Amino acid sequence: MTQLVGGVVPPVCTPLTPERELDVRSLERLAAFLIENGMHGLFVTGSTGEVAYLPDETRYRALEVVAGVAAGQVPVLAGVIDTTTPRVIEHAKAAKAAGADALVATAPFYAPTDPVEFPGHFRAIRAAVDLPLIAYDIPVSVGHKLPTDVVLTLTEDGTLDAVKDSSGDLDGLRALLESDVPVRCFSGSEVLADVGLFLGAHGLVPGLGNVDPAGYVRLYEAARRGDWAAAGAEQTRLRKLFRIIGVGDGRMGRYSSAMGAFKEGLVARGVITGGTTSVPMIPLNETERGAVRQHLAEAGLL
């Protein structure tokens, strides 16, 4: 099994046909594109992969496709995100069968759950499926931030292998990294990636990494060698590129705009065939697609 130590691990987009079936050939090209551009791992069926919108069979088929392309070159992480522990465990079992090297799970959500119940949730997942387990801290979707003491306890007892921090709480990230318990942390921020690495994060999980994987590798490598000026310069360029997520603002939700923009960026770069997103997301129009391409051109990608 390929182990994830650190580096850049993009949450892989899920290309769809116009009929919203999985576009297998586009996904194969995308996985190969990301590996060729130096990704250290691939995170399938995360938020950027539209996991909450996908039928179960599409989730598992996407994982099979990416695992097949990766073929042990890089670890493949599977998002097993769902509302409650039994549902997550079923996804985890299917993910292992489909070729996952590690699992990524949030705390329970929608169902009334208190942080005091989080340890039991993660321990049950880890006990049910013998794969490394990464906690996904995303309070905007879950409704609760993962408490620092819970993460430290679960890391110390071997339940958690790492944390993907999409909380936006830099002080919380710092608290984990400065604790006496060695916690491997991956920053989910596109625009504060350099700051996260400066604080000691072990890697990055940027959705924009689908569109510009090489840019995040340059940032990561600059940080590793302590060249913070180069890392900051790359981050400045990537922050400007990240403005693509706002091309549909005012006509659709920010998530619809972001997913459409990432996919349109991949279409413009010749990686995937179409930019179809899941229902009920609103598709980008011609003007918005043109704006995405303009952002890519300004970033030196076209």
Side-chain angles (χ1 to χ4, degrees):
M1 182 185 299
T2 309
Q3 295 291 331
L4 177 66
V5 177
V8 185
V9 186
V12 182
C13 288
T14 305
L16 301 172
T17 68
E19 297 76 31
R20 293 186 172 82
E21 301 291 332
L22 182 68
D23 184 344
V24 172
R25 295 203 174 186
S26 285
L27 182 55
E28 289 173 337
R29 289 195 301 272
L30 175 55
F33 169 73
L34 295 171
I35 292 169
E36 289 164 4
N37 277 276
M39 299 296 93
H40 301 86
L42 300 176
F43 173 26
V44 185
T45 56
S47 300
T48 302
E50 301 172 51
V51 62
Y53 298 80
L54 302 178
D56 290 351
E57 60 270 22
T58 305
R59 287 190 184 203
Y60 308 149
R61 180 62 179 136
L63 178 57
E64 288 175 343
V65 170
V66 173
V69 174
Q73 298 174 81
V74 298
V76 176
L77 286 60
V80 292
I81 296 158
D82 214 317
T83 51
T84 58
T85 309
R87 296 176 66 85
V88 172
I89 287 173
E90 289 304 307
H91 291 310
K93 291 176 179 177
K96 184 173 183 178
D101 295 300
L103 307 173
V104 184
T106 68
F109 56 94
Y110 181 75
T113 310
D114 188 88
V116 73
E117 295 161 317
F118 293 173
H121 170 72
F122 288 106
R123 287 182 179 132
I125 299 166
R126 187 66 182 84
V129 180
D130 187 20
L131 286 177
L133 179 59
I134 298 166
Y136 187 176
D137 188 9
I138 182 166
V140 68
S141 296
V142 172
H144 292 283
K145 176 167 172 51
L146 286 177
T148 298
D149 62 335
V150 169
V151 173
L152 295 179
T153 297
L154 294 175
T155 300
E156 200 164 27
D157 70 15
T159 300
L160 295 181
D161 187 67
V163 176
K164 176 187 182 284
D165 177 29
S166 294
S167 69
D169 179 4
L170 286 173
D171 186 63
L173 176 62
R174 187 168 206 154
L176 287 176
L177 291 166
E178 292 182 352
S179 73
D180 293 332
V181 178
V183 183
R184 287 196 302 131
C185 297
F186 290 77
S187 170
S189 175
E190 282 86 359
V191 297
L192 294 171
D194 60 335
V195 177
L197 292 170
F198 182 78
L199 293 176
H202 299 77
L204 307 172
V205 189
L208 187 62
N210 285 272
V211 179
D212 190 1
Y216 281 100
V217 170
R218 287 193 297 270
L219 191 160
Y220 175 75
E221 293 295 345
R224 285 192 68 190
R225 64 177 183 266
D227 188 346
W228 297 107
E234 193 64 47
Q235 182 69 91
T236 296
R237 189 186 66 82
L238 289 164
R239 284 185 69 248
K240 291 178 181 176
L241 176 60
F242 193 57
R243 294 173 186 168
I244 63 172
I245 70 166
V247 296
D249 281 1
R251 200 177 70 83
M252 64 185 72
R254 176 56 66 96
Y255 184 79
S256 292
S257 181
M259 295 305 100
F262 289 165
K263 287 185 170 182
E264 182 59 29
L266 288 166
V267 171
R269 299 203 68 185
V271 180
I272 68 174
T273 299
T276 301
T277 50
S278 300
V279 174
M281 285 189 268
I282 297 171
L284 301 185
N285 61 29
E286 184 176 350
T287 299
E288 292 154 355
R289 292 194 297 271
V292 170
R293 290 169 182 258
Q294 181 60 37
H295 282 299
L296 264 63
E298 292 172 359
L301 300 179
L302 293 181

